[in-house]
Amino acid sequence: WYLINPETGNITINGSNVTENISFSQLYSITFNAIGLSSGIEWEVSLNSNNLTSTSTSITFLYLNNGNYSYKVFIFSKWYLINNLSGNVTVNNFNVTENIYFTRLFSIIFIEKGLPIGTIWSLYLNSNYYSNNSIEIVINYLQPENYSFSINRIKSYMINPQNGIIHLINQNVTQNINFSLTVLISLN
């Protein structure tokens, strides 16, 4: 790929030889590779305000001059986090490849058993509070890491487990929580 300057023009011959210089400048490409992104997920790169969108794992900008280019990356799914959201790339006589790293996000689903229908129950996950009055508490868009949880007490119920650690690695996790009604027996 070359840039031709000038591509067109006029030459006037008026009694003598004429020389017209045509310069050729090589053009290059910048390829952005999506690392960690599943094929079929739509994403976009804006390079110096020129946008390309794809559902494959690479986006290539063609016919670029030497120079500095700024980029921003966008994704059309809540289930991915972009690690290098923006940056700069320099083209200097070579094609350039820039890797964009995506982190897949997951869910933790807490399912209770043993409470009467409609009972509000609650928990803390890494110090964040969640509650519901159905059998599930679903927490979405979590990065892969370890999460500590603590189930809040409900009067007259034992909880198993009441707290623990969840290892969220490359898949959604379901944590069952059992509530057992305790009966006080008074002996006279």
Side-chain angles (χ1 to χ4, degrees), residues 137-150:
I137 294 177
V138 180
I139 306 166
N140 293 321
Y141 314 122
L142 299 172
Q143 294 187 52
E145 61 181 70
N146 294 331
Y147 291 86
S148 62
F149 71 89
S150 176

Side-chain angles (χ1 to χ4, degrees), residues 29-45 51-62 73-74 96-100 102:
S29 66
I30 299 175
T31 298
F32 293 89
N33 291 323
I35 309 299
L37 184 65
S38 298
S39 183
I41 303 295
E42 189 174 15
W43 63 298
E44 180 178 284
V45 178
N51 299 339
L52 288 179
T53 302
S54 179
T55 54
S56 72
T57 56
S58 67
I59 291 176
T60 301
F61 291 84
L62 301 173
V73 182
F74 306 91
V96 176
T97 299
E98 181 79 3
N99 291 330
I100 305 298
F102 293 84

